[in-house]
């Protein structure tokens, strides 16, 4: 097969002074930051659906992407060829991972049996390419939202046969993930929600969703797939309300149904902002529960209220994300998956390189700044100081579970009433962050 990107060779690291648009300025895979190489800290992954399947259409216009290697057909041969091109791209980029939905990599057939056969054929090529290049599968997932059969949801469909079909599809996707040695498996509840409450029985749908996940856990054990499951929160779009709306909602659902030990979260920046949160908030909520598994690294647009899935360019964003990741001791099975697409106007193949290089450099800078903030230590010290009243005396006694309302009333009456506590110093915190972001 002749190369799809003949003019582009392996993207080198050239350092901050380089003006080469096809070189990294900050992502130096072998450079060690906090005891691990950048490659191991960041664990970048290319999202197959955006980078190799997005035609770059939007609700007002058709696709614009020029992809000379793709004949646009639904043939399995085209899918296999595209898979080889994907590995040429990922290898030249130097990303160690990729991620896919079953229907991104292989075409849907006329029935489930044919779809399964198509997937098998492409998985064979993916496996060969993984072995040839050493690139690994960060996670796989099943597309349970594109086909019209899923219009009312998959595991939460009011139609039991759709639930059954979705279960069979996930079973097959899990087998593919296992065959390819995936590090994890994602559930994003595309249409698991509702458009109107008039026609929706929330309790029944949530029970079904939990039953579905329990069956998935059982099957994962049965086939010996060791990677974690992740739920990917998103509040809406395509539905008005998705059950897995944000990190807190997902954690509550998982706890309520006894699933927390089997799942972590795959957080996506643009989903966080759609939920009215910052990505930093979502990261902290998940990490506090020991459930920050993986990250879909993208960003939205401040002025567009939908999931624009843009490549991350904000150093503040990546610094905050990497601070939480470093604080939790780094990724284990997770990584930074660019669930992001080039703009409709950026339709040439080379734009795929520029986009990923930019995202990787932005995260590499975020990592270096986060490590610098931690090495500097002032923010951590100020944060610690803010809570010192809990380190001894009555605070430590409360934390130790030794007090009750009666004992606290006695204590309060024995003391002068507390006055205004020390300043929160928000501006000083912000100034120190800005001092270290350089
Ligand atoms: C869509 C989601 C999707 C998941 C995988 O908004 O981000 O791409 O990551 O199904
Ligand atoms: Ni995503
Ligand atoms: Ni998304």
């Amino acid at each position: 097969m002749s190369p799809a990107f003949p003019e582009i060779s392996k993207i080198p690291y050239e350092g901050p002074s380089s003006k080469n648009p096809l070189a990294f300025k900050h992502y130096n895979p072998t450079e060690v930051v906090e005891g691990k190489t950048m490659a191991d800290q960041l664990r970048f992954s290319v999202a197959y659906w955006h980078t190799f399947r997005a035609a770059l259409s939007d609700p007002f216009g058709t696709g614009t992407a020029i992809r000379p290697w793709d004949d646009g057909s639904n043939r399995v041969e085209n899918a296999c060829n595209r898979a080889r091109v994907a590995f040429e791209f990922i290898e030249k980029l130097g990303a160690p991972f990729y991620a896919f939905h079953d229907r991104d990599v292989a075409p849907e057939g006329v029935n489930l049996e044919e779809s399964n056969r198509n997937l098998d054929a492409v998985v064979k090529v993916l496996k060969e390419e993984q072995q040839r290049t050493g690139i690994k599968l960060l996670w796989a997932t099943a597309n349970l939202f594109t086909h019209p059969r899923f219009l009312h949801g998959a595991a939460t469909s009011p139609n039991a046969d759709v639930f059954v079909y979705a279960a069979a599809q996930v079973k097959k996707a899990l087998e593919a993930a296992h065959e390819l040695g995936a590090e994890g498996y994602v559930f994003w509840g595309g249409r698991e929600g509702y458009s109107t409450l008039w026609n929706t029985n929330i309790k029944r749908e949530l029970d079904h969703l939990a039953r579905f996940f329990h069956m998935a856990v059982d099957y994962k054990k049965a086939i010996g797939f060791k990677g974690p499951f992740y739920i990917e929160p998103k509040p809406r779009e395509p539905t008005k309300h998705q059950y897995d709306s944000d990190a807190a909602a997902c954690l509550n659902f998982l706890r309520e149904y006894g699933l927390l030990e089997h799942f972590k979260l795959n957080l996506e920046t643009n989903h966080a902002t759609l939920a009215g949160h910052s990505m930093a908030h979502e990261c902290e909520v998940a990490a506090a529960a020991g459930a920050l598994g993986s990250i879909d690294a993208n960003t939205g647009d401040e002025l567009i209220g939908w999931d624009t899935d843009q490549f991350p360019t904000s150093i503040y964003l990546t610094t905050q994300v990497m601070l939480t990741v470093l604080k939790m001791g780094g990724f284990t099975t997770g990584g930074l998956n660019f669930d992001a697409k080039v703009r409709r106007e950026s339709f040439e193949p080379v734009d795929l390189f520029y986009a990923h290089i930019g995202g990787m450099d932005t995260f590499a800078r975020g990592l270096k700044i986060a490590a610098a903030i931690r090495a500097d230590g002032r923010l951590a010290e100020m944060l610690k100081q803010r809570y010192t009243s809990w380190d001894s005396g009555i605070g430590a006694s409360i934390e130790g579970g030794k007090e009750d309302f009666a004992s606290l009333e006695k204590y309060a009456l024995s003391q002068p009433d507390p006055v205004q506590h020390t300043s929160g110093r928000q501006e000083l915190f912000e100034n120190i962050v800005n001092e270290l972001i350089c």
Side-chain angles (χ1 to χ4, degrees):
M1 210 181 88
S2 54
F5 309 97
E7 271 104 64
I8 297 171
S9 42
K10 176 112 202 229
I11 305 299
Y13 167 71
E14 292 185 357
S17 60
S18 167
K19 298 280 179 271
N20 177 1
L22 287 169
F24 294 114
K25 321 290 184 295
H26 296 276
Y27 179 59
N28 180 7
T30 56
E31 185 177 328
V32 173
V33 179
E34 286 209 12
K36 276 197 237 169
T37 63
M38 278 198 186
D40 287 343
Q41 290 284 21
L42 297 164
R43 293 169 61 88
F44 288 125
S45 158
V46 172
Y48 204 97
W49 54 102
H50 285 309
T51 299
F52 300 103
R53 300 313 311 274
L56 307 185
S57 58
D58 70 16
F60 301 95
T62 52
T64 57
I66 296 173
R67 304 290 182 251
W69 56 84
D70 198 316
D71 69 12
S73 78
N74 245 347
R75 292 179 314 123
V76 175
E77 294 71 32
N78 188 35
C80 292
N81 186 45
R82 187 193 294 126
R84 295 196 194 279
V85 171
F87 275 81
E88 181 194 334
F89 173 84
I90 303 166
E91 200 180 15
K92 286 183 167 169
L93 182 67
F97 295 100
Y98 73 116
F100 67 73
H101 300 78
D102 49 1
R103 303 295 181 251
D104 311 329
V105 288
E108 173 119 23
V110 292
N111 54 28
L112 183 61
E113 200 190 336
E114 190 182 90
S115 297
N116 286 350
R117 232 181 306 126
N118 293 350
L119 186 58
D120 285 339
V122 182
V123 163
K124 203 165 153 267
V125 176
L126 295 172
K127 195 168 180 181
E128 277 169 30
E129 290 294 300
Q130 286 187 199
Q131 280 163 352
R132 182 182 67 77
T133 59
I135 292 162
K136 294 195 272 188
L137 181 56
L138 188 68
W139 50 260
T141 187
N143 179 329
L144 304 177
F145 44 88
T146 298
H147 193 282
R149 71 172 62 88
F150 298 123
L151 84 174
H152 299 300
T156 63
S157 172
N159 184 305
D161 287 336
V162 173
F163 181 105
V164 171
Y165 186 98
Q169 192 180 326
V170 169
K171 174 179 177 289
K172 183 70 184 173
L174 279 170
E175 289 161 12
H178 188 39
E179 169 74 12
L180 293 169
E183 305 265 309
Y185 185 92
V186 163
F187 292 89
W188 169 60
R191 294 181 195 273
E192 314 293 22
Y194 60 79
S195 290
T196 171
L197 276 173
W198 295 118
N199 70 10
T200 303
N201 183 333
I202 286 190
K203 169 80 175 116
R204 221 164 167 187
E205 294 198 1
L206 287 173
D207 286 352
H208 295 166
L209 187 57
R211 162 89 32 234
F212 193 90
F213 286 147
H214 274 292
M215 287 192 239
V217 168
D218 290 344
Y219 192 64
K220 163 183 146 161
K221 287 186 188 151
I223 61 175
F225 178 64
K226 296 277 181 295
F229 281 167
Y230 307 116
I231 291 198
E232 183 175 324
K234 182 174 180 179
R236 68 185 80 87
E237 196 208 298
T239 61
K240 174 157 90 178
H241 174 81
Q242 280 184 215
Y243 295 130
D244 48 7
S245 50
D246 64 2
C250 288
L251 291 168
N252 178 60
F253 169 83
L254 292 169
R255 265 193 209 102
E256 181 177 352
Y257 287 98
L259 285 159
L260 195 52
E261 63 178 300
H262 306 292
F263 283 80
K264 289 190 167 188
L265 302 182
N266 178 43
L267 300 176
E268 178 168 322
T269 313
N270 206 162
H271 298 179
T273 47
L274 278 177
H277 302 307
S278 66
M279 180 60 167
H281 165 92
E282 288 292 84
C283 288
E284 286 291 308
V285 168
L292 174 48
S294 200
I295 285 174
D296 270 4
N298 67 9
T299 193
D301 184 291
E302 279 171 20
L303 304 179
I304 302 177
W306 46 291
D307 201 11
T308 55
D309 287 337
Q310 291 170 226
F311 279 83
T313 55
S314 160
I315 296 157
Y316 279 95
L317 167 71
T318 58
T319 298
Q320 284 180 309
V321 168
M322 292 318 296
L323 268 174
T324 308
V325 170
L326 290 178
K327 191 168 68 181
M328 73 172 189
F331 288 118
T332 47
T333 51
L336 295 167
N337 173 53
F338 288 112
D339 192 349
K341 59 175 177 278
V342 289
R343 297 304 83 196
R344 187 166 183 264
E345 299 85 345
S346 309
F347 48 80
E348 292 179 10
V350 69
D351 291 310
L352 297 172
F353 279 95
Y354 296 145
H356 284 85
I357 290 169
M360 290 161 82
D361 265 347
T362 308
F363 262 98
R365 285 182 81 176
L367 169 64
K368 287 190 280 189
I369 296 164
I373 288 174
R374 283 158 59 82
D376 174 85
R378 274 175 292 164
L379 289 185
E381 183 51 33
M382 281 163 60
L383 185 64
K384 188 164 168 279
Q385 284 303 322
R386 203 160 173 252
Y387 293 88
T388 44
S389 68
W390 292 92
D391 294 339
S392 60
I394 191 69
S397 186
I398 297 169
E399 279 195 354
K402 293 187 198 120
E403 303 294 334
D404 56 28
F405 267 16
S407 70
L408 292 186
E409 183 194 48
K410 201 163 150 225
Y411 183 88
L413 292 172
S414 74
Q415 297 264 29
D417 288 0
V419 288
Q420 199 166 309
H421 188 54
T422 40
S423 167
R425 303 257 185 268
Q426 178 172 337
E427 296 76 8
L428 179 56
F429 273 89
E430 290 165 346
N431 292 352
I432 295 173
V433 170
N434 268 2
E435 181 192 317
L436 295 165
I437 289 197
C438 52

